[in-house]
Amino acid sequence: MTFAYNQQQWNALGQLDPFWAMTGISGWELADFFQTGRHQIAQLHEEMQRLGYPRRFQRVLDFGCGIGRVAPALCEHFAEYIGLDVAESLICKARELHRDLANAQFLVNTTSWLELPDNSIDLIFSFGVFQHIPDRQAILNLLSEFARVLAPGGLIFTNVCHHIHWLYRLQLRRRAYTILKRLGFPDHALYYRLKLYPQSVHAIPLRLWYGHLQTLPLQVRVMRPQSALDAPHQLWEYALTK
């Protein structure tokens, strides 16, 4: 499975049901949808105050921004917001929803390299993103890029899936979606009538992630399990500083 296929998945989801793509729930009222982002950023702000990072609040990068669920909340804390996502369909929707956010820009990013200057970002927020990237090397490249663009005194807040229970690795709905799409079934029928979807979930082993992390000019401030021990997907949260 390639990075390009990942882009195809999220473009399809952005066209079918972007709200479900972001939360796993359809039929949101816009105010309620963005309130989930405000709640998450409020929790993040408490974490930032506890850590004392970032030192500045000039520029924030929301990597894997989707349709900008947390954009309004982050724009209240930072002078400039940059949202990047692999799917053009999601970025187009984000621009439509947030055309009144003067300090925000939404851009398509289709590689594991970031077209941003060194030491230019004060906060990098990327939650629920790495688990949907099938290429482990792309994940490690992105982590290196995060370290490169992060400003001294900056903070990276992210989460990573380190293990998936064997039964959930089958991802039968995603496999069925892929096969039927290749046979000519339209996306709309697969999603709405057959309840199938193209979203895939992947894990990167803790040893591989942490081993690469140790080669970067980053310090681990928070490293903690986010999921219950019996959860099918084992997610960990990280707060990293430079």
Side-chain angles (χ1 to χ4, degrees), residues 161-172 174-175 201-203 229-234:
C161 182
H162 286 315
H163 178 74
I164 302 175
H165 188 277
W166 70 267
L167 184 61
Y168 289 83
R169 295 179 200 172
L170 298 175
Q171 300 183 51
L172 296 178
R174 190 263 300 168
R175 293 178 188 275
V201 181
H202 309 271
L229 291 176
D230 59 349
H233 303 92
Q234 291 297 311

mmCIF file of all heavy atoms in Angstrom, residues 161-172 174-175 201-203 229-234:
data_model
loop_
_atom_site.group_PDB
_atom_site.id
_atom_site.type_symbol
_atom_site.label_atom_id
_atom_site.label_comp_id
_atom_site.label_asym_id
_atom_site.label_seq_id
_atom_site.Cartn_x
_atom_site.Cartn_y
_atom_site.Cartn_z
ATOM 1 N N CYS A 161 -0.126 4.969 16.740
ATOM 2 C CA CYS A 161 -0.609 3.618 17.011
ATOM 3 C C CYS A 161 0.591 2.677 16.972
ATOM 4 O O CYS A 161 1.274 2.577 15.951
ATOM 5 C CB CYS A 161 -1.648 3.201 15.973
ATOM 6 S SG CYS A 161 -2.341 1.550 16.262
ATOM 7 N N HIS A 162 0.843 1.998 18.092
ATOM 8 C CA HIS A 162 2.000 1.106 18.161
ATOM 9 C C HIS A 162 1.634 -0.373 18.012
ATOM 10 O O HIS A 162 2.521 -1.198 17.790
ATOM 11 C CB HIS A 162 2.748 1.306 19.475
ATOM 12 C CG HIS A 162 3.548 2.574 19.531
ATOM 13 N ND1 HIS A 162 4.356 2.996 18.495
ATOM 14 C CD2 HIS A 162 3.664 3.515 20.509
ATOM 15 C CE1 HIS A 162 4.935 4.136 18.828
ATOM 16 N NE2 HIS A 162 4.534 4.478 20.030
ATOM 17 N N HIS A 163 0.365 -0.707 18.128
ATOM 18 C CA HIS A 163 -0.014 -2.115 18.008
ATOM 19 C C HIS A 163 -1.494 -2.214 17.654
ATOM 20 O O HIS A 163 -2.316 -1.440 18.144
ATOM 21 C CB HIS A 163 0.250 -2.863 19.318
ATOM 22 C CG HIS A 163 -0.165 -4.305 19.284
ATOM 23 N ND1 HIS A 163 0.541 -5.269 18.590
ATOM 24 C CD2 HIS A 163 -1.233 -4.946 19.832
ATOM 25 C CE1 HIS A 163 -0.063 -6.437 18.723
ATOM 26 N NE2 HIS A 163 -1.124 -6.264 19.468
ATOM 27 N N ILE A 164 -1.828 -3.171 16.787
ATOM 28 C CA ILE A 164 -3.222 -3.481 16.435
ATOM 29 C C ILE A 164 -3.456 -4.960 16.700
ATOM 30 O O ILE A 164 -2.667 -5.806 16.258
ATOM 31 C CB ILE A 164 -3.516 -3.162 14.950
ATOM 32 C CG1 ILE A 164 -3.232 -1.684 14.652
ATOM 33 C CG2 ILE A 164 -4.967 -3.496 14.608
ATOM 34 C CD1 ILE A 164 -3.383 -1.324 13.184
ATOM 35 N N HIS A 165 -4.517 -5.280 17.410
ATOM 36 C CA HIS A 165 -4.877 -6.679 17.653
ATOM 37 C C HIS A 165 -5.050 -7.396 16.321
ATOM 38 O O HIS A 165 -5.580 -6.826 15.362
ATOM 39 C CB HIS A 165 -6.179 -6.739 18.472
ATOM 40 C CG HIS A 165 -6.538 -8.111 18.928
ATOM 41 N ND1 HIS A 165 -7.205 -9.012 18.131
ATOM 42 C CD2 HIS A 165 -6.317 -8.737 20.111
ATOM 43 C CE1 HIS A 165 -7.385 -10.131 18.795
ATOM 44 N NE2 HIS A 165 -6.857 -9.994 20.012
ATOM 45 N N TRP A 166 -4.606 -8.646 16.267
ATOM 46 C CA TRP A 166 -4.542 -9.360 14.977
ATOM 47 C C TRP A 166 -5.881 -9.384 14.256
ATOM 48 O O TRP A 166 -5.939 -9.277 13.029
ATOM 49 C CB TRP A 166 -4.023 -10.779 15.190
ATOM 50 C CG TRP A 166 -4.985 -11.693 15.904
ATOM 51 C CD1 TRP A 166 -5.056 -11.933 17.240
ATOM 52 C CD2 TRP A 166 -6.021 -12.479 15.301
ATOM 53 N NE1 TRP A 166 -6.069 -12.806 17.533
ATOM 54 C CE2 TRP A 166 -6.681 -13.161 16.352
ATOM 55 C CE3 TRP A 166 -6.456 -12.667 13.998
ATOM 56 C CZ2 TRP A 166 -7.749 -14.023 16.132
ATOM 57 C CZ3 TRP A 166 -7.526 -13.524 13.780
ATOM 58 C CH2 TRP A 166 -8.164 -14.196 14.835
ATOM 59 N N LEU A 167 -6.999 -9.527 14.999
ATOM 60 C CA LEU A 167 -8.307 -9.607 14.360
ATOM 61 C C LEU A 167 -8.640 -8.312 13.615
ATOM 62 O O LEU A 167 -9.237 -8.332 12.531
ATOM 63 C CB LEU A 167 -9.377 -9.910 15.414
ATOM 64 C CG LEU A 167 -10.813 -10.117 14.900
ATOM 65 C CD1 LEU A 167 -10.861 -11.313 13.945
ATOM 66 C CD2 LEU A 167 -11.764 -10.326 16.057
ATOM 67 N N TYR A 168 -8.224 -7.173 14.179
ATOM 68 C CA TYR A 168 -8.530 -5.875 13.571
ATOM 69 C C TYR A 168 -7.582 -5.533 12.432
ATOM 70 O O TYR A 168 -7.842 -4.608 11.673
ATOM 71 C CB TYR A 168 -8.512 -4.781 14.648
ATOM 72 C CG TYR A 168 -9.682 -4.879 15.580
ATOM 73 C CD1 TYR A 168 -9.658 -5.764 16.664
ATOM 74 C CD2 TYR A 168 -10.831 -4.126 15.386
ATOM 75 C CE1 TYR A 168 -10.743 -5.874 17.516
ATOM 76 C CE2 TYR A 168 -11.914 -4.227 16.235
ATOM 77 C CZ TYR A 168 -11.870 -5.104 17.294
ATOM 78 O OH TYR A 168 -12.942 -5.223 18.142
ATOM 79 N N ARG A 169 -6.475 -6.275 12.325
ATOM 80 C CA ARG A 169 -5.571 -6.050 11.201
ATOM 81 C C ARG A 169 -6.193 -6.490 9.880
ATOM 82 O O ARG A 169 -5.758 -6.062 8.811
ATOM 83 C CB ARG A 169 -4.253 -6.805 11.422
ATOM 84 C CG ARG A 169 -3.447 -6.305 12.603
ATOM 85 C CD ARG A 169 -2.179 -7.111 12.754
ATOM 86 N NE ARG A 169 -1.638 -6.997 14.105
ATOM 87 C CZ ARG A 169 -0.621 -7.705 14.563
ATOM 88 N NH1 ARG A 169 -0.023 -8.581 13.768
ATOM 89 N NH2 ARG A 169 -0.199 -7.539 15.799
ATOM 90 N N LEU A 170 -7.204 -7.351 9.928
ATOM 91 C CA LEU A 170 -7.853 -7.830 8.704
ATOM 92 C C LEU A 170 -8.549 -6.699 7.958
ATOM 93 O O LEU A 170 -8.579 -6.686 6.734
ATOM 94 C CB LEU A 170 -8.859 -8.933 9.049
ATOM 95 C CG LEU A 170 -8.266 -10.203 9.685
ATOM 96 C CD1 LEU A 170 -9.382 -11.159 10.084
ATOM 97 C CD2 LEU A 170 -7.287 -10.875 8.726
ATOM 98 N N GLN A 171 -9.175 -5.767 8.703
ATOM 99 C CA GLN A 171 -9.833 -4.589 8.119
ATOM 100 C C GLN A 171 -10.709 -4.997 6.926
ATOM 101 O O GLN A 171 -10.504 -4.565 5.790
ATOM 102 C CB GLN A 171 -8.782 -3.552 7.701
ATOM 103 C CG GLN A 171 -7.938 -3.088 8.884
ATOM 104 C CD GLN A 171 -6.931 -2.020 8.539
ATOM 105 O OE1 GLN A 171 -7.279 -1.007 7.934
ATOM 106 N NE2 GLN A 171 -5.689 -2.214 8.933
ATOM 107 N N LEU A 172 -11.681 -5.848 7.223
ATOM 108 C CA LEU A 172 -12.480 -6.464 6.159
ATOM 109 C C LEU A 172 -13.306 -5.450 5.375
ATOM 110 O O LEU A 172 -13.467 -5.592 4.156
ATOM 111 C CB LEU A 172 -13.382 -7.532 6.770
ATOM 112 C CG LEU A 172 -12.647 -8.725 7.397
ATOM 113 C CD1 LEU A 172 -13.639 -9.702 8.019
ATOM 114 C CD2 LEU A 172 -11.780 -9.431 6.358
ATOM 115 N N ARG A 174 -12.571 -2.302 4.722
ATOM 116 C CA ARG A 174 -11.689 -1.588 3.808
ATOM 117 C C ARG A 174 -11.279 -2.474 2.639
ATOM 118 O O ARG A 174 -11.248 -2.039 1.485
ATOM 119 C CB ARG A 174 -10.461 -1.088 4.568
ATOM 120 C CG ARG A 174 -9.594 -0.114 3.766
ATOM 121 C CD ARG A 174 -8.413 -0.783 3.105
ATOM 122 N NE ARG A 174 -7.535 -1.413 4.069
ATOM 123 C CZ ARG A 174 -6.570 -2.250 3.731
ATOM 124 N NH1 ARG A 174 -6.384 -2.578 2.474
ATOM 125 N NH2 ARG A 174 -5.800 -2.802 4.656
ATOM 126 N N ARG A 175 -10.999 -3.755 2.904
ATOM 127 C CA ARG A 175 -10.604 -4.676 1.837
ATOM 128 C C ARG A 175 -11.755 -4.898 0.855
ATOM 129 O O ARG A 175 -11.555 -4.916 -0.366
ATOM 130 C CB ARG A 175 -10.136 -5.998 2.429
ATOM 131 C CG ARG A 175 -8.849 -5.880 3.223
ATOM 132 C CD ARG A 175 -8.442 -7.221 3.827
ATOM 133 N NE ARG A 175 -7.324 -7.057 4.727
ATOM 134 C CZ ARG A 175 -6.040 -7.047 4.351
ATOM 135 N NH1 ARG A 175 -5.735 -7.176 3.063
ATOM 136 N NH2 ARG A 175 -5.075 -6.907 5.236
ATOM 137 N N VAL A 201 -6.093 1.525 8.875
ATOM 138 C CA VAL A 201 -5.377 1.841 10.113
ATOM 139 C C VAL A 201 -4.113 0.984 10.171
ATOM 140 O O VAL A 201 -4.154 -0.208 9.841
ATOM 141 C CB VAL A 201 -6.257 1.577 11.350
ATOM 142 C CG1 VAL A 201 -5.510 1.932 12.628
ATOM 143 C CG2 VAL A 201 -7.555 2.372 11.255
ATOM 144 N N HIS A 202 -3.017 1.605 10.589
ATOM 145 C CA HIS A 202 -1.725 0.929 10.593
ATOM 146 C C HIS A 202 -0.982 1.247 11.885
ATOM 147 O O HIS A 202 -1.173 2.300 12.491
ATOM 148 C CB HIS A 202 -0.884 1.375 9.398
ATOM 149 C CG HIS A 202 -1.619 1.287 8.099
ATOM 150 N ND1 HIS A 202 -1.640 0.161 7.320
ATOM 151 C CD2 HIS A 202 -2.405 2.195 7.456
ATOM 152 C CE1 HIS A 202 -2.384 0.368 6.263
ATOM 153 N NE2 HIS A 202 -2.855 1.599 6.317
ATOM 154 N N ALA A 203 -0.116 0.327 12.283
ATOM 155 C CA ALA A 203 0.704 0.520 13.480
ATOM 156 C C ALA A 203 2.166 0.596 13.095
ATOM 157 O O ALA A 203 2.597 -0.011 12.111
ATOM 158 C CB ALA A 203 0.487 -0.638 14.454
ATOM 159 N N LEU A 229 -5.768 -1.124 28.052
ATOM 160 C CA LEU A 229 -4.922 -2.260 27.726
ATOM 161 C C LEU A 229 -5.602 -3.264 26.808
ATOM 162 O O LEU A 229 -4.935 -3.956 26.039
ATOM 163 C CB LEU A 229 -4.472 -2.955 29.020
ATOM 164 C CG LEU A 229 -3.493 -2.164 29.888
ATOM 165 C CD1 LEU A 229 -3.196 -2.916 31.183
ATOM 166 C CD2 LEU A 229 -2.201 -1.866 29.133
ATOM 167 N N ASP A 230 -6.935 -3.344 26.882
ATOM 168 C CA ASP A 230 -7.659 -4.316 26.055
ATOM 169 C C ASP A 230 -8.211 -3.694 24.771
ATOM 170 O O ASP A 230 -8.954 -4.341 24.032
ATOM 171 C CB ASP A 230 -8.800 -4.953 26.848
ATOM 172 C CG ASP A 230 -9.805 -3.913 27.371
ATOM 173 O OD1 ASP A 230 -9.506 -2.697 27.296
ATOM 174 O OD2 ASP A 230 -10.875 -4.314 27.859
ATOM 175 N N ALA A 231 -7.842 -2.446 24.482
ATOM 176 C CA ALA A 231 -8.322 -1.795 23.260
ATOM 177 C C ALA A 231 -7.683 -2.445 22.038
ATOM 178 O O ALA A 231 -6.507 -2.833 22.074
ATOM 179 C CB ALA A 231 -7.994 -0.309 23.291
ATOM 180 N N PRO A 232 -8.431 -2.563 20.928
ATOM 181 C CA PRO A 232 -7.860 -3.206 19.728
ATOM 182 C C PRO A 232 -6.719 -2.419 19.087
ATOM 183 O O PRO A 232 -5.839 -2.990 18.459
ATOM 184 C CB PRO A 232 -9.061 -3.309 18.788
ATOM 185 C CG PRO A 232 -10.022 -2.275 19.256
ATOM 186 C CD PRO A 232 -9.846 -2.210 20.738
ATOM 187 N N HIS A 233 -6.747 -1.092 19.248
ATOM 188 C CA HIS A 233 -5.686 -0.245 18.725
ATOM 189 C C HIS A 233 -4.979 0.417 19.906
ATOM 190 O O HIS A 233 -5.609 1.131 20.694
ATOM 191 C CB HIS A 233 -6.245 0.827 17.781
ATOM 192 C CG HIS A 233 -7.013 0.276 16.626
ATOM 193 N ND1 HIS A 233 -8.367 0.077 16.659
ATOM 194 C CD2 HIS A 233 -6.602 -0.132 15.398
ATOM 195 C CE1 HIS A 233 -8.770 -0.431 15.499
ATOM 196 N NE2 HIS A 233 -7.722 -0.562 14.724
ATOM 197 N N GLN A 234 -3.685 0.181 20.030
ATOM 198 C CA GLN A 234 -2.912 0.734 21.138
ATOM 199 C C GLN A 234 -2.247 2.042 20.702
ATOM 200 O O GLN A 234 -1.285 2.057 19.948
ATOM 201 C CB GLN A 234 -1.867 -0.272 21.596
ATOM 202 C CG GLN A 234 -2.451 -1.509 22.268
ATOM 203 C CD GLN A 234 -3.192 -1.175 23.546
ATOM 204 O OE1 GLN A 234 -2.659 -0.449 24.414
ATOM 205 N NE2 GLN A 234 -4.404 -1.672 23.689
#
